[in-house]
């Protein structure tokens, strides 16, 4: 019997991650073409939340450092989440350090809106996880002394604020943004909203939801440390209990596909194509069939 694999059309790298990896690859590729004094290539935090992709970059000479203090020379790649204003200033102040900026343009836009709002007298509501590096970077662009709110409870408790502007972490859901908008409109006489959500996350979730509903078994590929991949796995599991979140094809066991003839595959925004390809190859081997029909699902 022909086995079928349906792959979510958006599975894998989003625009910003693809761009960041290309920038890192290009930077690593230029190594040794200078005067020999260019120093190490570092990324401030892992470029993406995928251990295998970070491992490959490490082999090419891009090492991960955790803080600005760990950098004294060479090139530093700023990942797609962006960096706080103070970290950027500290890096710019280091002699012999060159910044290679891979901040996703959508994140830059959210930073700019936050700064402009604060400079125009608006308190700023940032919809997102305050501990996430992207949200920390957005907040850092708000001028000192301007009230900042990151929860609906804080918005409801705000006092003496006449106008507020809202920006969102790029991966937030539209529903959550709207809940903040509703709370802000009840609290402040003037509210400005910038919809800074990027549709990469919503698109992956929509496609994966549809796929999980029709597949016999569902696979979500990507780093265990990737929040968007874990969320995809949760969403798929709620629809299809036979959902497996795995990082690489090595974790694909024959028992996972036993009795199944349609496998659905999706992958987080930080999962490289070669991980998806490796998974398909292994699945072909397990199913031992000459022909696996592979189609894209939207
Ligand atoms: S999810 Fe959207 S904002 Fe985030 S890196 Fe990807 S394209 Fe950029």
């Amino acid at each position: 019997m022909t086995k079928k694999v349906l792959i979510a059309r958006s599975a894998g790298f989003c625009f910003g991650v693809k761009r960041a990896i290309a920038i890192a690859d290009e930077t690593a590729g230029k190594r040794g073409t200078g005067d020999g004094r260019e120093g190490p290539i570092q990324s401030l935090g892992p470029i993406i939340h995928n251990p295998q992709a970070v491992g490959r970059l490490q082999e090419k000479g891009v090492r991960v450092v955790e803080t600005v203090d760990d950098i004294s020379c060479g090139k530093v790649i700023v990942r797609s989440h962006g960096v706080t204003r103070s970290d950027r200033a500290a890096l710019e102040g280091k002699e012999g350090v060159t910044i290679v900026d891979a901040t996703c343009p959508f994140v830059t836009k959210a930073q700019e809106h936050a700064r402009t709002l604060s400079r125009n007298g608006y308190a700023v509501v940032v919809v997102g996880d305050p501990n996430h590096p992207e949200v920390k970077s957005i907040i850092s662009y708000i001028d000192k002394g301007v009230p900042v709110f990151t929860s609906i409870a804080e918005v409801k408790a705000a006092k003496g604020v006449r106008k507020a502007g809202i920006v969102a972490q790029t991966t937030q859901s539209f529903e959550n943004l709207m809940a903040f908008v509703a709370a802000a409109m009840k609290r402040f006489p003037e509210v400005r909203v910038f919809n800074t959500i990027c549709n990469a996350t919503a698109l992956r979730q929509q496609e994966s939801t549809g796929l999980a509903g029709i597949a016999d078994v569902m696979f979500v590929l990507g780093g265990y440390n990737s929040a968007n991949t874990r969320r995809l796995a949760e969403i798929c599991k709620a629809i299809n209990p036979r959902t497996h979140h795995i990082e690489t094809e090595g974790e694909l066991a024959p028992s996972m596909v036993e009795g199944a003839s349609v496998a659905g595959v999706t992958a987080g925004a930080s999962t490289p194509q070669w991980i998806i390809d490796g998974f398909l190859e292994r699945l072909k081997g397990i199913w031992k069939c000459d022909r696996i029909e592979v189609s894209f699902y939207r």
Side-chain angles (χ1 to χ4, degrees):
M1 184 169 53
T2 306
K3 304 279 189 183
K4 203 167 174 177
V5 183
L6 294 172
I7 304 175
R9 193 168 287 278
S10 64
F13 283 176
C14 63
F15 155 77
V17 166
K18 207 181 275 178
R19 182 174 170 274
I21 292 290
I23 290 172
D25 274 338
E26 193 193 339
T27 307
K30 282 184 186 158
R31 193 187 184 80
T33 57
D35 59 5
R37 288 182 283 138
E38 64 257 85
I41 301 172
Q42 303 128 112
S43 75
L44 190 51
I47 295 253
I48 58 173
H49 289 144
N50 183 278
Q52 293 74 30
V54 170
R56 280 205 173 180
L57 279 171
Q58 244 153 9
E59 283 165 19
K60 293 179 188 173
V62 180
R63 67 184 173 96
V64 179
V65 294
E66 292 306 327
T67 69
V68 169
D69 294 339
D70 300 328
I71 299 165
S72 55
C73 59
K75 288 182 176 156
V76 56
I77 304 168
V78 171
R79 59 192 173 166
S80 55
H81 298 318
V83 71
T84 63
R85 200 154 53 154
S86 58
D87 277 354
R88 183 179 289 274
L91 289 171
E92 284 168 353
K94 287 182 189 246
E95 210 178 311
V97 171
T98 308
I99 299 175
V100 180
D101 194 355
T103 307
C104 177
F106 297 135
V107 175
T108 305
K109 204 77 196 143
Q111 293 168 340
E112 285 169 1
H113 284 315
R115 179 170 51 196
T116 307
L117 283 166
S118 71
R119 292 201 171 157
N120 286 297
Y122 288 81
V124 185
V125 179
V126 183
V127 181
D129 172 4
N131 295 316
H132 192 282
E134 181 189 320
V135 174
K136 287 183 182 170
S137 84
I138 292 171
I139 290 176
S140 75
Y141 279 81
I142 298 168
D143 279 357
K144 294 266 171 300
V146 172
V148 180
F149 309 113
T150 57
S151 70
I152 289 183
E154 286 171 8
V155 169
K156 286 181 177 168
K159 292 206 168 45
V161 173
R162 297 217 44 83
K163 50 184 198 174
I166 302 180
V167 295
Q169 182 181 358
T170 52
T171 49
Q172 284 294 294
S173 71
F174 187 70
E175 291 69 28
N176 198 30
L177 171 60
M178 289 311 287
F180 274 77
V181 171
M185 287 184 68
K186 282 188 193 142
R187 191 73 201 168
F188 313 120
E190 182 185 338
V191 177
R192 280 193 82 182
V193 183
F194 288 101
N195 180 358
T196 50
I197 294 172
C198 146
N199 71 358
T201 305
L203 185 64
R204 275 161 189 71
Q205 291 180 357
Q206 275 163 18
E207 288 179 6
S208 304
T209 306
L211 203 44
I214 58 172
D216 297 329
V217 57
M218 185 71 198
F219 290 94
V220 182
L221 311 179
Y224 295 125
N225 60 343
S226 157
N228 80 80
T229 308
R230 285 202 310 267
R231 182 76 189 123
L232 278 184
E234 276 168 24
I235 290 171
C236 291
K237 189 125 199 155
I239 293 165
N240 186 336
R242 243 184 125 176
T243 293
H244 303 280
H245 175 184
I246 60 177
E247 275 195 356
T248 67
E249 77 275 8
E251 295 163 59
L252 171 56
S255 59
M256 291 176 178
V257 288
E258 209 175 285
S261 23
V262 180
V265 180
T266 189
S270 49
T271 307
Q273 186 58 42
W274 55 267
I275 295 259
I276 302 173
D277 294 342
F279 171 87
L280 290 176
E281 277 311 305
R282 167 127 174 97
L283 184 56
K284 273 187 203 163
I286 288 176
W287 266 343
K288 291 192 181 61
C289 49
D290 311 334
R291 204 166 87 79
I292 290 187
E293 195 181 310
V294 178
S295 344
F296 290 96
Y297 178 88
R298 173 162 283 170

